[in-house]
Amino acid sequence: MPNTVFWFRRDLRLTDNPALLAAVSAAADDGVLALFVLDPMPLRAAGGPRVSHLVRSLRALDESLGGALLIRYGDPVEEVPRVAAAIGAEEVHIAADYGPYGRGRDQQVEKALTGHGVTLHRTGSPYAVAPGRVRKSDDSPYRVFTPYSKAWAAHGWRAPVAAPRAVSWLPAHDSAGPPSVPDLPDVDLPDAGEDAARERLSAFLDGPIRDYATERNRPDREGTSGLSVHLKYGELHPRTILAELARHRGVGADTLRNELCWRDFYADVLFHRPESLWESLDARVGGIRTDSGPRADERFTAWASGHTGYPIVDAGMRQLRAIGWMHNRVRMITASFLVKDLHLPWQRGAAYFLDRLVDGDYASNNHNWQWVAGTGTDAAPYVRVFNPVTQGKKFDPDGAYVRRWVPELAGVGGGAVHEPWTLPKPPDGYPKPIVDHAAERRETLARFDEVRA
DNA sequence: AGTATATTATC
DNA sequence: ATAATATAC
């Protein structure tokens, strides 16, 4: 096998990725150099947890492979041709995702490689079923989740590949260090790397999966799978999870399988309709009146910084800012608040989430925002407006989640923390609600009526 | 995977 | 009186 360059996009997506692993293993067995050339990392403070996870993940991978990975951080359009030339590479493998979307950089790299005598391969899909594979009998894509999920289950998925064999690598000789990681808050971030991912999966299957269906909605407890970040960085392949789930029975296994199906479904939607990343799938609902201007900007800032006066919203936004992760239930609540209570476009919130989330995935994030906004594939016959107080009381009944992330409310006991404005002595330093939920809900319903008419 | 209101069940 | 269930938007 000739010398080979492997370019992985910002998301590694190597682990258990059959095509990529086969190519990497073959190259490694021949003693050729394999490389990771990455997009420039977002080094703003906002990306801190993400940069941290990526660097730790790469180091773990390097360690598991004997410490001989050549890792470069830089613009792939420049770095891939440079490295390919330096090692006389005849092949370049690109791990592409989402098909039409995201091909832009690939094409730029491809263009930069023309005339260098290299063969370009696109390999790998970080999904259980590759986007575009599950189709209706007339070959058209599914537009609704439930029929897709049935076809997805019927389609089935390959078994995950085995872990890579022991490999012998040429010594790394690159001097470029990793990007500096911005100062991170003093909280525990999840461990990075394949071993950590598999440990998390085992720990989840050993217990939490039993009550996953309900506990996953409790931000005050550790009831989620915690696997999203590992999926994001390719430390765990969905097929690995599905293979393990096959050995478990029950509603918990069914629920996680369904979540993985959502992930595949939204990637599939993006594959077929790449414009859906930032354009509303339902143009009519997407045309709803939104607010802009200085007052809207102030409200956005209050939302992003966690100062809306609605405790569950503020707790979520502060958790996101602190650790680059937010509980999924709270993601829905905070997203609903931005769109339905503050009347801001969903794209603004989606962009902020992508900027901050360590597990932020284009397809899942943006299509879930469309779901919340009512512009997505899910055509509910009613307008979903999350009530932040009801949701808080229901899913954080004791208020423990709010107290953990909103220190101004730490002294308020029990579920009353979800409506501090009703307390005889509202705590100092915590803002009053910046809008009245009941009034804004009516406003949203009225604006929906405008586009429905 | 929503919310508000009405109805029925349960203490 | 409060909780579970049903229904409409």
Side-chain angles (χ1 to χ4, degrees):
Chain A
M1 186 164 177
N3 281 359
T4 305
V5 172
F6 296 93
W7 168 41
F8 298 88
R9 305 181 65 82
R10 176 175 300 170
D11 307 355
L12 282 182
R13 290 169 174 162
L14 168 69
T15 305
D16 279 345
N17 188 318
L20 275 176
L21 264 188
V24 171
S25 296
D29 284 350
D30 284 356
V32 303
L33 196 60
L35 304 151
F36 295 86
V37 185
L38 301 159
D39 285 331
M41 290 299 105
L43 291 178
R44 298 184 305 281
R50 179 162 53 218
V51 179
S52 167
H53 194 98
L54 178 75
V55 171
R56 288 181 292 130
S57 182
L58 277 170
R59 283 176 183 156
L61 182 62
D62 185 35
E63 201 172 314
S64 73
L65 292 172
L69 266 192
L70 175 57
I71 303 169
R72 308 233 6 167
Y73 300 85
D75 183 346
V77 179
E78 293 172 13
E79 289 291 328
V80 171
R82 180 183 300 156
V83 171
I87 66 169
E90 292 167 32
E91 294 190 351
V92 169
H93 290 257
I94 292 182
D97 49 11
Y98 302 143
Y101 169 75
R103 285 268 169 90
R105 297 295 274 172
D106 306 7
Q107 283 163 357
Q108 288 177 35
V109 172
E110 188 169 20
K111 199 175 166 192
L113 283 167
T114 53
H116 287 71
V118 298
T119 312
L120 190 68
H121 303 273
R122 288 200 179 86
T123 61
S125 166
Y127 301 99
V129 179
R133 283 289 176 80
V134 175
R135 311 248 182 145
K136 290 194 256 191
S137 49
D138 67 355
D139 215 37
S140 65
Y142 286 95
R143 291 161 176 275
V144 181
F145 174 73
T146 306
Y148 174 89
S149 69
K150 290 187 175 125
W152 180 82
H155 177 281
W157 38 82
R158 291 198 300 273
V161 299
R165 291 161 287 170
V167 293
S168 57
W169 303 80
L170 289 180
H173 52 79
D174 186 67
S175 57
S180 63
V181 179
D183 287 342
L184 293 172
D186 186 23
V187 293
D188 289 334
L189 296 171
D191 289 338
E194 178 174 0
D195 289 346
R198 285 182 177 273
E199 276 168 32
R200 176 65 210 156
L201 177 60
S202 302
F204 175 72
L205 295 174
D206 281 349
I209 189 177
R210 197 169 300 281
D211 301 311
Y212 175 66
T214 51
E215 288 295 290
R216 63 186 291 274
N217 280 308
R218 291 291 297 268
D220 55 336
R221 305 208 189 120
E222 304 224 347
T224 68
S225 74
L227 295 173
S228 62
V229 71
H230 300 304
L231 286 164
K232 148 95 179 176
Y233 288 103
E235 297 162 337
L236 197 61
H237 196 282
R239 280 194 287 266
T240 301
I241 304 174
L242 287 163
E244 292 292 324
L245 284 178
R247 300 202 254 127
H248 291 255
R249 292 280 174 275
V251 67
D254 293 342
T255 304
L256 184 57
R257 201 163 17 238
N258 203 51
E259 295 307 310
L260 289 171
C261 185
W262 273 108
R263 185 171 174 277
D264 277 12
F265 173 63
Y266 278 148
D268 192 72
V269 172
L270 191 55
F271 177 90
H272 291 290
R273 304 183 65 176
E275 76 282 2
S276 69
L277 195 58
W278 297 110
E279 287 176 22
S280 293
L281 280 161
D282 184 329
R284 216 163 58 138
V285 177
I288 199 166
R289 201 149 49 82
T290 55
D291 288 357
S292 59
R295 192 186 66 162
D297 291 345
E298 270 173 39
R299 288 178 169 183
F300 179 84
T301 303
W303 174 80
S305 68
H307 291 86
T308 68
Y310 285 91
I312 191 83
V313 174
D314 294 340
M317 297 309 296
R318 294 193 199 184
Q319 180 182 31
L320 174 61
R321 188 165 275 218
I323 65 172
W325 186 86
M326 195 198 302
H327 189 280
N328 182 63
R329 166 60 51 181
V330 190
R331 292 187 200 193
M332 294 195 281
I333 300 169
T334 54
S336 176
F337 192 82
L338 186 80
V339 173
K340 307 287 170 65
D341 287 71
L342 302 184
H343 315 295
L344 297 175
W346 64 263
Q347 290 92 338
R348 221 172 152 176
Y352 182 78
F353 269 31
L354 278 182
D355 204 33
R356 294 266 169 180
L357 281 169
V358 68
D359 63 6
D361 174 271
Y362 282 108
S364 296
N365 181 70
N366 288 34
H367 289 136
N368 271 307
W369 271 90
Q370 293 224 36
W371 178 87
V372 169
T375 65
T377 49
D378 168 275
Y382 47 84
V383 182
R384 281 195 197 91
V385 181
F386 282 59
N387 182 320
V389 176
T390 309
Q391 290 277 320
K393 286 181 171 172
K394 190 170 175 188
F395 297 111
D396 179 30
D398 305 321
Y401 176 76
V402 163
R403 278 189 295 279
R404 177 172 177 194
W405 294 107
V406 185
E408 304 99 288
L409 297 174
V412 183
V417 77
H418 289 294
E419 33 190 353
W421 53 87
T422 64
L423 295 169
K425 263 194 72 178
D428 288 339
Y430 187 70
K432 289 198 189 72
I434 58 170
V435 294
D436 176 52
H437 172 71
E440 302 306 341
R441 177 175 187 274
R442 287 192 295 273
E443 173 67 17
T444 286
L445 295 176
R447 293 191 190 194
F448 264 88
D449 286 342
E450 290 173 8
V451 294
R452 274 198 195 128

